[in-house]
Amino acid sequence: MQEAQSLEHVQSFVKKEKISLLYISRPNCSVCVSLLPQIEELLEDYPQIKSLYINAEDIPEIAGEYSIFTVPVIIVSVEGKEMLRKARIVPIEELNQQLYKMTSLMDD
């Protein structure tokens, strides 16, 4: 998963990619640290979803731009429009089902 360098980088990434997943976290968040490898593994099954890691400490303005109140946050956008948001507790199997539905609709 590539890492965002700025808010502008995040915005252009979401606009450019057909399906994008933003993973917003903080390094001192134990839930964030343990969830990231699970998300990366899950995304191996969805090559059409492009992902971006955002460290909320390095890019603090991300909180205002995306209305982030807690971490971790996963935001999935399709053609620049937010379609799915998960925060704090992210059940992997539920996320997998939602990503499957979303990507299968896009393949039709």
Side-chain angles (χ1 to χ4, degrees):
M1 187 177 298
Q2 72 173 326
E3 187 167 348
Q5 305 304 315
S6 66
L7 181 60
E8 294 76 23
H9 179 201
V10 175
Q11 292 167 331
S12 68
F13 179 85
V14 171
K15 284 180 187 168
K16 179 181 81 169
E17 300 300 341
K18 185 167 182 150
I19 306 175
S20 64
L21 181 143
L22 303 179
Y23 185 81
I24 304 164
S25 75
R26 293 183 183 276
N28 62 348
C29 163
S30 61
V31 174
C32 302
V33 171
S34 65
L35 183 62
L36 180 58
Q38 296 175 61
I39 298 300
E40 289 176 323
E41 184 177 329
L42 176 65
L43 288 174
E44 290 175 9
D45 294 335
Y46 300 98
Q48 66 273 54
I49 300 175
K50 306 304 178 200
S51 60
L52 188 64
Y53 172 85
I54 299 123
N55 181 337
E57 288 182 3
D58 291 344
I59 308 174
E61 59 271 26
I62 198 78
E65 180 72 16
Y66 287 94
S67 300
I68 307 294
F69 300 103
T70 186
V71 288
V73 176
I74 294 172
I75 300 173
V76 180
S77 298
V78 176
E79 296 176 348
K81 181 172 173 36
E82 184 178 320
M83 301 300 284
L84 174 68
R85 179 184 289 239
K86 297 280 184 195
R88 196 66 189 148
I89 305 300
V90 179
I92 292 296
E93 191 49 45
E94 181 183 308
L95 177 62
N96 184 33
Q97 291 171 3
Q98 291 170 319
L99 292 178
Y100 179 79
K101 284 180 188 173
M102 197 177 296
T103 55
S104 63
L105 288 173
M106 298 297 289
D107 291 338
D108 290 345

